[in-house]
Amino acid sequence: MKLRKIGNSLGTTFSRDMLTRAGFAEGEELDVVVSAGEITIRPAAPTRILVEFTPAEAKALASGKTDSRLAEAALNKLRRVVGTT
């Protein structure tokens, strides 16, 4: 596959066979998760919210110490996702 210019963006296309094998259907809503060097495309999950924490952020939240910098960073990620910032 190759990235190519599409309007003011870069993009690529997927064959119908690839999409069928992945279980995607035309018109389906998708979630796109981006991290360094990786783009993950999944069927949209309207009944759940996915927030990715670093291990340190997760430990800070799990400890209940919400006054730490790490816990605050994790809570801010969550607030951004649910739109309460």
Side-chain angles (χ1 to χ4, degrees), residues 12-67:
T12 192
T13 57
F14 298 93
S15 71
R16 185 172 301 275
D17 180 56
M18 281 177 118
L19 295 170
T20 300
R21 285 186 301 170
F24 297 139
E26 184 176 347
E28 182 174 0
E29 299 243 349
L30 303 171
D31 287 334
V32 178
V33 180
V34 179
S35 59
E38 180 176 81
I39 299 171
T40 304
I41 303 169
R42 304 178 188 148
T47 58
R48 64 185 176 129
I49 295 173
L50 177 66
V51 181
E52 293 187 28
F53 298 119
T54 65
E57 290 169 337
K59 285 179 185 177
L61 283 179
S63 74
K65 298 177 184 173
T66 57
D67 59 338

